[in-house]
Amino acid sequence: MIRARGPGRVNLIGEHTDYNDGLALPFAIDRGVTVTAEPGGDAFEVHAADLGERDEFAEPDRGAEGWRAFVHGTVAELRAAGYEVPPARLTIEGDLPQGSGLSSSAALEAALCLALVEPRDRVELARLCSRVENDWVGAHTGLLDQLAALCGTDGHALRIDFRTLEIAQVPFDLGDWQLVTVDSGASHQHAGGGYNERRAECDEARERLGLDSLRDAPADTDLPEPLNRRVRHVVTENARVEKTIEALEREDLEAVGELLDASHASLRDDYEASVPEVERTVAALKDAGAAGARMVGGGFGGSVLALLRPGADLSPGALAVTPGPGARRL
Ligand code: GLA
């Protein structure tokens, strides 16, 4: 029997930059998804313990939906990549709220992969997980969540350059400060919804600018709105990732808080990825004295990330998050 754990992730900063060849600074957290695999039998027997749901299949089926699509897709993509994946009895359980912007999807993909095979290379595996999400689940997400889940290490955030896929481990110690996530109460789903639409807008902007990626775009273009605003978000967000790393190096957490606020304003006004519940949650956290607060993940619902000064009270429902280990066999 093999047990594997895939962590959720929090992206400190660098949102909607991954599919634009940009920069991000995520970290794995200690909440996640655990998959237990017992090889044997003629078919996959899958038990999603937290949902009380089951699935059984001999061969992966393109028609699988919801959580089942992740399992069918992972088996199929692992086999297509040359891994041997014999049928197994799989149990999935976790302590990560779904649809809250903490990437339960990547946690599930990473845990499934490590329960089923010993990977040759983690970056290659992140790409494979991303194909599961794109081609089997229908969410045109980038590589942020999968790289954070698979390459995260305890006590570090990852500076990811999505153009080169170069990953640098950035020591991440907040001292007496705390990072918390608060669920806005508005659930989100990337397949459908605004996420795919934003991604298509970025592609259109890139094509009209005649660029390989928005990484090279100027902050102000002569594109019509809303495309100009979308580009401005991506360009300024990349710059905020670098500024956050510099602020962390000089242990200037007030500056990190200001950068989180600026990221949120850009996601709200330029990227238009906010919803009223998220705005209310951000406002409540700022009113309660947070040094910075912003939507985290794909937006259009999900969680808010807040940076709290030493001694600040945790608001009800807040989950303290610290960098934990990446995906692993237990
Ligand atoms: C979701 C996607 C990621 C990334 C973020 C936004 O979490 O899965 O690929 O695009 O949104 O930064």
Side-chain angles (χ1 to χ4, degrees), residues 152-325:
T153 60
D154 209 358
H156 293 82
L158 304 175
R159 177 194 184 275
I160 306 176
D161 181 329
F162 290 93
R163 173 132 70 185
T164 58
L165 289 190
E166 197 185 321
I167 298 176
Q169 303 280 343
V170 178
F172 187 44
D173 177 9
L174 293 175
D176 296 336
W177 292 59
Q178 282 194 90
L179 271 175
V180 298
T181 63
V182 179
D183 194 341
S184 71
S187 180
H188 75 159
Q189 221 192 2
H190 293 330
Y195 185 93
N196 286 350
E197 189 183 302
R198 289 292 171 278
R199 192 162 177 162
E201 286 170 344
C202 287
D203 281 342
E204 189 187 340
R206 181 181 52 74
E207 273 167 33
R208 285 187 180 217
L209 291 170
L211 295 172
D212 287 338
S213 86
L214 293 185
R215 175 77 171 264
D216 305 313
D220 228 335
T221 68
D222 48 16
L223 292 175
E225 298 297 0
L227 296 185
N228 183 52
R229 294 203 293 281
R230 307 292 187 253
V231 175
R232 186 166 58 214
H233 165 72
V234 173
V235 174
T236 58
E237 186 77 351
N238 284 337
R240 283 186 286 271
V241 172
E242 297 290 34
K243 285 185 189 151
T244 302
I245 293 169
E246 286 160 22
L248 286 173
E249 276 168 3
R250 27 171 233 279
E251 297 180 15
D252 183 354
L253 292 172
E254 289 292 345
V256 174
E258 284 163 22
L259 287 157
L260 297 185
D261 286 345
S263 171
H264 183 73
S266 178
L267 286 160
R268 179 192 59 217
D269 302 335
D270 281 348
Y271 220 65
E272 294 176 282
S274 193
V275 294
E277 291 90 335
V278 167
E279 287 310 307
R280 280 199 288 276
T281 310
V282 167
L285 284 159
K286 290 294 291 178
D287 286 350
R294 70 174 199 85
M295 70 174 82
V296 64
F300 304 98
S303 289
V304 169
L305 176 69
L307 180 61
L308 306 182
R309 297 187 182 89
D313 285 339
L314 282 193
S315 48
L319 173 72
V321 283
T322 50

Side-chain angles (χ1 to χ4, degrees), residues 63-209:
E65 288 180 358
W67 65 268
R68 293 177 178 85
F70 289 94
V71 186
H72 288 244
T74 301
V75 171
E77 292 295 336
L78 284 171
R79 285 179 174 167
Y83 288 102
E84 227 179 280
V85 188
R89 192 175 307 142
L90 301 172
T91 304
I92 303 169
E93 54 208 319
D95 54 8
L96 199 61
Q98 267 184 48
S100 66
L102 299 176
S103 201
S104 53
S105 323
L108 172 58
E109 292 150 19
L112 277 169
C113 285
L114 295 192
L116 291 169
V117 303
E118 296 220 41
R120 296 182 286 259
D121 175 85
R122 288 200 170 214
V123 173
E124 177 207 57
L125 197 64
R127 286 182 185 283
L128 186 150
C129 291
S130 163
R131 286 199 293 278
V132 172
E133 197 132 340
N134 294 173
D135 300 344
W136 290 78
V137 181
H140 297 145
T141 51
L143 274 178
L144 170 74
D145 309 336
Q146 291 75 17
L147 285 174
L150 284 161
C151 302
T153 60
D154 209 358
H156 293 82
L158 304 175
R159 177 194 184 275
I160 306 176
D161 181 329
F162 290 93
R163 173 132 70 185
T164 58
L165 289 190
E166 197 185 321
I167 298 176
Q169 303 280 343
V170 178
F172 187 44
D173 177 9
L174 293 175
D176 296 336
W177 292 59
Q178 282 194 90
L179 271 175
V180 298
T181 63
V182 179
D183 194 341
S184 71
S187 180
H188 75 159
Q189 221 192 2
H190 293 330
Y195 185 93
N196 286 350
E197 189 183 302
R198 289 292 171 278
R199 192 162 177 162
E201 286 170 344
C202 287
D203 281 342
E204 189 187 340
R206 181 181 52 74
E207 273 167 33
R208 285 187 180 217
L209 291 170

Side-chain angles (χ1 to χ4, degrees), residues 9 11 14-19 141-145 190 195 297-298:
R9 65 95 189 89
N11 190 16
E15 222 64 271
H16 291 280
T17 49
D18 62 344
Y19 52 85
T141 51
L143 274 178
L144 170 74
D145 309 336
H190 293 330
Y195 185 93

